[in-house]
Amino acid sequence: MWREEFLNNLIQSGLLLEQREVLQAKKKICFVLLSAPWSVLCYYAEEIGLRVPLQVVTTPIINWSEQAMSRLSCRSPLSHDVPNPPPDYYTCQFRTSKLDRFLASDNKETFFKTTQRHQVLYEILARTPYGKVKTGEVGIDRLLSEQVFTAAYPLHELPKTPVPPTSLGLRQILYTYWAKWSCFRRYQPLDHIREYYGEKIALYFAWLGFYTGWLLPASIVGLLIFFIGFFLMATDVPATELCNSGNSLLMCPLCNICDYWNYSSICVTYKVGLLFDNSGTVFLSVFMSLWAVTFLEYWKRTCSALSHRWDCSEFEDIEERPRPEFTAMAPMTMRNPVTGAEEPYFPENKRFNRTLTGCMVIIIMIVVVLIFLIGIILYRTILRIIISKSGNSFVSFSAGRIASLSGSVLNLLVILLLSRVYVSLAHILTRWEMHRTQTKYEDMFILKVFIFQFVNFYSSPVYIAFFKGRFVGYPGNYHTLFGIRNEECGAGGCLIELAQELLVIMVGKQLINNVQEFILPKLKSWWQKRKISPRVKKGEEEEEVAPWEADYQLLVCEGLFSEYLEMVIQFGFITIFVAACPLAPFFALVNNWVELRLDAQKFVMEYRRPVAERAQDIGIWLPIMQFITNIAVLSNAFLIAFTSSFLPREYYSYTRNRTMSGFINFTLATSPYNYSLQHTPCRYRGFRDELGEHLPDYFHLLAIRLSFVIVFEHVVFFIGRLIDLMVPDIPEEVEMKMKREHYMAKEALAENQVQQKRLSNKWVKYVDYKPPLRSQSLTLVFYFCDHSTNEKCVD
């Protein structure tokens, strides 16, 4: 009943319908083919503000690397000669009454682009009711969720038989010059992607390519810092002292049932730690903080250029319309203060109450994450005790490492499980909050999920970096949690544990995601084709599969949210914790090279064609990355000050011995006298005397650490602010193009242009504007003056 009502309403809205049936062994599939006549296209193009061309832009589009290489009379190795580049136009919003002033308006078949036709059809599908409007029985999305229809999608372009490159279709061009693995070192054909998939998807790939390119210098610097660690492994004096200490440094047990151990037993672990914790760490932290600021500033410039080139620079402020679901469910209407049009309205106080309820749900879910974190901490402690009791000398010796590594893997599984649960919950909450536009809806949904994922992914590394081993106590006075002694950092220190945690979560997640993106689509596609039974043959000849039937066998495009989230979480790992893992940018670079090609192949070969969506920028993801950048400055400052051995080494070198001889002994305290009476005297890491009280060195170091944090963040924030001021968000040439386009749009749509053309060149037209009173209408008085004869101006 709903389906029949919906199809009847589509016919009444002016759409043309054809129905095709496909008979299969066990069922019959009915395809409804939709198309819009010229009159409907014109009406809705004006209604939703589609932009159409006024004049071709003749200025060539050249990126900075090609420009630099051309000055050296060289060809850029990254450039790609992609056939049939889409032309760039000056555009303005479509008006039916001004049709003759637009380019190619005489050809009704090609005037509107394919993606624009898709947008018109989707707008009609999204706002057509099939039942009671007030109960939300509106639109194709609701019908799909109710299984009234099984799918709704635009068709992919039909592949052409072997033809020269200039005659290839857009989809074939994207496959040949973008989706193939051999294109990994070439620029992406962004204009072709935009022409086929729309601005929103094109902006994602533009951002991903830009981000991947900027990872290259970060990776080189990170690798250099890592290789400096290899040199220090052989020349570091404290490392040599530790390895040669033999049995002279007997360390206190790391848990209540653990044995005493020799400090020299961690010789290899200590040296490996120098790969991550060395004198280059400070430089890398400063470099990555400034790298993140500069990257975001230059992305804003690139984004503004692309959004103008793709006619989206005013989309969010003026052109974006209310969501169809919001239009149907809103209880009242109100005049839009920008456009003056009457639009559906939802009271702000009601939305605030609903948003507040959503915030409470987020807080509850964050508490759940913290409960799981405490559970993993207890798991590591208990597993360490169990392994230590096992009696196997080899396993017992590695108890801490086994517990730490298995805890990291378990934490990754918990993260992935909770993520799936919360994403579904966030969808329900955001839909309930009734946001007016699609951009606002997506921004609020993304914000909810990111807050949760931020805590979900980063809680364990933050605990290891800043809390683990800080509240242990000392021999004879250990602190406990639920009766279990608090965790200490492993034998090699907290920084190497943090590096291990980051590699497990970051690299492990990337591997899982890439395997999923490579294998799952193929498995799903195979299952989709298997579910669709073979056709019933008519006669001996096998019928050719229709394009709508072929596309039905492809997978549904799930949007860009998960793709953005994966990259932004990665951005957090390589900036917030880079002081602990210099290799993070390199692993991110390798992952993104693979990710870019996998995403391209999914969109071109394995997904149904999504409806083209417009977008002005990457949305709330940019403010989120700016927030991450600010957090990264503070995080790296505290990591260097409190977790790294950089400041203790510098303090010892300045106050004790510049050769660093005796540093190991300086960092170890002796067990208190009361403890030694009942147990074997031993050493532990800390700056305490024989009574367990802090030494003056502890307070001196604390003051130095706090001072370092303040100086570090002030210097980095100051330089970052200078970069922000020096790099304008919009390039000068883009500003000039925007002014030119506004002028041309004004000229094209001016009501008096026809009269102006009729005037002789010697006539000058003036307009005198008289502002009306409340009871009067607007008055425009035109003066025409012939200056050549000095005649009186005619009113």
Side-chain angles (χ1 to χ4, degrees), residues 489-531:
C489 291
C494 279
L495 204 66
I496 194 169
E497 281 195 41
L498 178 60
Q500 171 193 292
E501 184 81 5
L502 291 177
L503 291 175
V504 169
I505 295 178
M506 179 182 164
V507 179
K509 181 178 180 296
Q510 289 175 351
L511 284 173
I512 291 172
N513 285 342
N514 285 334
V515 168
Q516 285 179 338
E517 290 184 15
F518 183 73
I519 295 177
L520 280 186
K522 290 177 172 51
L523 290 176
K524 287 180 179 178
S525 182
W526 170 79
W527 181 251
Q528 178 90 344
K529 291 175 183 177
R530 191 175 183 275
K531 281 198 307 182

Side-chain angles (χ1 to χ4, degrees), residues 424-610:
S424 303
L425 185 60
H427 268 300
I428 297 170
L429 289 173
T430 312
R431 198 178 299 119
W432 182 57
E433 288 171 6
M434 289 289 289
H435 295 286
R436 175 181 167 272
T437 63
Q438 185 66 22
T439 299
K440 187 67 175 175
Y441 173 88
E442 290 178 359
D443 285 352
M444 294 308 295
F445 169 72
I446 290 167
L447 184 61
K448 285 184 182 64
V449 177
F450 177 75
I451 291 172
F452 173 77
Q453 297 287 40
F454 185 85
V455 178
N456 196 14
F457 275 96
Y458 299 141
S459 57
S460 183
V462 165
Y463 162 74
I464 294 173
F466 304 119
F467 298 100
K468 187 176 181 181
R470 308 289 174 195
F471 310 103
V472 176
Y474 54 90
N477 187 28
Y478 287 115
H479 302 151
T480 60
L481 176 68
F482 302 124
I484 299 175
R485 179 175 151 183
N486 287 350
E487 267 194 311
E488 277 195 72
C489 291
C494 279
L495 204 66
I496 194 169
E497 281 195 41
L498 178 60
Q500 171 193 292
E501 184 81 5
L502 291 177
L503 291 175
V504 169
I505 295 178
M506 179 182 164
V507 179
K509 181 178 180 296
Q510 289 175 351
L511 284 173
I512 291 172
N513 285 342
N514 285 334
V515 168
Q516 285 179 338
E517 290 184 15
F518 183 73
I519 295 177
L520 280 186
K522 290 177 172 51
L523 290 176
K524 287 180 179 178
S525 182
W526 170 79
W527 181 251
Q528 178 90 344
K529 291 175 183 177
R530 191 175 183 275
K531 281 198 307 182
I532 301 174
S533 307
R535 291 163 153 259
V536 176
K537 293 185 180 179
K538 296 180 180 179
E540 295 294 325
E541 296 183 3
E542 188 172 340
E543 293 184 40
E544 185 180 349
V545 177
W548 47 86
E549 192 178 349
D551 285 4
Y552 183 59
Q553 297 176 359
L554 300 176
L555 303 177
V556 178
C557 178
E558 298 173 350
L560 297 171
F561 167 74
S562 59
E563 311 293 345
Y564 270 119
L565 181 64
E566 179 185 351
M567 291 296 106
V568 172
I569 292 292
Q570 180 201 90
F571 179 78
F573 278 124
I574 68 169
T575 52
I576 295 176
F577 303 107
V578 71
C581 189
L583 290 177
F586 173 72
F587 285 122
L589 176 65
V590 174
N591 172 79
N592 290 7
W593 270 336
V594 176
E595 178 80 20
L596 197 57
R597 234 33 66 190
L598 288 176
D599 285 348
Q601 290 178 3
K602 283 192 305 185
F603 275 93
V604 174
M605 299 162 58
E606 292 162 358
Y607 280 167
R608 294 171 189 160
R609 188 175 184 177

Side-chain angles (χ1 to χ4, degrees), residues 244-311:
N244 295 334
S245 63
N247 299 327
S248 62
L249 297 175
L250 184 66
M251 303 297 292
C252 298
L254 295 174
C255 64
N256 290 334
I257 64 166
C258 297
D259 293 328
Y260 295 92
W261 54 286
N262 288 315
Y263 208 24
S264 58
S265 63
I266 65 162
C267 174
V268 175
T269 308
Y270 188 89
K271 286 187 174 182
V272 170
L274 293 174
L275 298 175
F276 304 97
D277 182 11
N278 56 60
S279 55
T281 302
V282 179
F283 170 76
L284 180 63
S285 300
V286 174
F287 174 82
M288 288 303 296
S289 298
L290 298 179
W291 171 90
V293 173
T294 312
F295 158 68
L296 294 178
E297 287 304 315
Y298 275 92
W299 164 248
K300 284 192 278 188
R301 287 171 60 86
T302 303
C303 184
S304 65
L306 289 174
S307 64
H308 175 259
R309 193 165 95 208
W310 295 340
D311 309 317

